[in-house]
Each structure stands twice: as C-alpha cells, then as structure tokens.
Amino acid sequence: MFRTFRGGQSGGWRVTSISPVTGEPLPFVPALSITDSEAVSLPLVPSRNAWRLVGVTSSLRYTERPEKEQLVAVQAGLGRLEATSAALIPIRKSQAWWELTQEERRKIFEDRSHHIASSLRYLPAIARQLYHCRDLGEPFDFLTWFEFAPVHAALFEELVAMLRRTEEWSYVEREVDLRMVKEVLSA
C-alpha cells in the first residue's frame, strides 16, 4: 500500500510552515492531503505550486526484538482525535550512509545515536510512522510523519532537536520540516 502526501491548495491538514533544514526546500503550499492506494497516480499536469511525495511502510530495520516490544507497548496509533498537530519531515541520507553495511548503520542508529532508546520517552504523546521511498525513485529516502496534541508541541520540538544532534543525522543531506494543523469542519 502506497501512502501519498500531496501538497496543494486543499486537504485535511492546513500547512503552517515549511522550513528547509538542510538542502533544497519544498515549495510552500497551503494544505496537505494524505491518501492510501495500491498504485501511485501521477499528477495530471505538473505544477510549481503543488507536489507529491510517496512512501510505503516496511518491516522495522535496525530494530532488535526487545526494542520492538518496547515500542509496541508504548506507542500510540495515528488518527487520535486530540492529535490535531502534525509534522511531515522528509529526509534523504548521503551516499556515504548507504555505502555502510546494515550492521554499521545499526551501530550508528542505535548503539551510538540511541535513536530508539532516546525516543521512547516521547511516546505515546507523539505518534509516528516511517515511510520508505528510496527504492521508489522519490527525492527522499524516508518520509517521517508525526501526530500530537497541541499541548505536546514543546515535547515534539525537544524530540526533533535531540535526534538532529545525533551522529546518525550527520548523514542527512536533505531535510524539510513541514508543520500542520488538522482542518476541523464545523457542524
């Protein structure tokens, strides 16, 4: 199943900011829509004020059984009513990262950067899902999606700042930080 994040003029999420962290930015759009489908549809007409990013969920990588069990025990699902704030952070890592073996990447990811261990304390307040897109010919390797209640916005900022200080992030060559709020229809 493909998950498509489409930035454009309409969607269920109102974009509040798009900030390039490193590398090229994405064009600003006022809204983001998210769809799931069995195939990727191409835009009918290319546009300078809209874009599309596609990813797929995959098996957990760099995660050992006890870590997976810890994550499953505390993580929240997406779509919670109170989670009206969100972030989409597409990331592309350098060729140097991909030239490392799986074992070498694991050592950086968890043994030295403590990605999982350090992130556990932010769950379940922050729900997250990782989408892989490197093998789809997309401009990013990963699409990271986070949802949280507005009351947890500072906690989310703390999580992102902590991850960006790790050795793992020294391999990031393109990162864009998009922030959104859920569009709520009045009755």
Side-chain angles (χ1 to χ4, degrees):
M1 186 69 72
F2 295 95
R3 172 145 288 190
T4 301
F5 296 90
R6 191 177 310 273
Q9 302 305 307
S10 63
W13 294 91
R14 182 173 46 84
V15 176
T16 57
S17 68
I18 299 179
S19 305
V21 177
T22 187
E24 293 177 53
L26 287 170
F28 184 82
V29 292
L32 182 81
S33 65
I34 303 170
T35 56
D36 294 313
S37 61
E38 293 183 18
V40 177
S41 60
L42 297 174
L44 295 176
V45 179
S47 172
R48 287 190 303 253
N49 58 359
W51 43 261
R52 181 206 70 191
L53 300 173
V54 179
V56 296
T57 57
S58 183
S59 59
L60 291 177
R61 300 172 189 177
Y62 320 128
T63 306
E64 295 176 350
R65 173 66 55 195
E67 294 163 341
K68 180 179 179 180
E69 290 169 357
Q70 284 182 303
L71 286 168
V72 168
V74 296
Q75 68 187 358
L78 299 176
R80 297 172 294 158
L81 290 178
E82 71 275 12
T84 58
S85 295
L88 173 63
I89 303 179
I91 294 170
R92 183 177 66 222
K93 291 193 174 176
S94 67
Q95 188 60 37
W97 173 262
W98 296 110
E99 289 173 357
L100 296 170
T101 66
Q102 179 92 357
E103 182 178 274
E104 291 168 323
R105 290 194 300 264
R106 161 65 194 192
K107 284 180 181 175
I108 294 168
F109 176 81
E110 191 58 31
D111 297 350
R112 297 198 301 260
S113 294
H114 310 290
H115 188 116
I116 298 167
S118 297
S119 298
L120 280 170
R121 70 186 185 105
Y122 299 95
L123 306 177
I126 299 164
R128 87 285 182 272
Q129 181 64 57
L130 178 68
Y131 300 93
H132 296 263
C133 45
R134 177 175 168 78
D135 296 329
L136 300 177
E138 289 289 302
F140 295 95
D141 297 327
F142 308 102
L143 306 174
T144 55
W145 175 255
F146 303 90
E147 293 178 4
F148 49 94
V151 69
H152 294 124
L155 192 64
F156 179 71
E157 296 301 334
E158 185 181 313
L159 167 64
V160 173
M162 180 269 301
L163 290 171
R164 287 180 179 146
R165 287 190 302 267
T166 65
E167 179 183 350
E168 176 192 356
W169 244 254
S170 68
Y171 290 90
V172 172
E173 68 180 20
R174 185 175 182 202
E175 177 183 2
V176 181
D177 189 321
L178 295 89
R179 302 300 174 92
M180 286 135 296
V181 294
K182 186 129 183 105
E183 286 291 290
V184 180
L185 301 174
S186 57

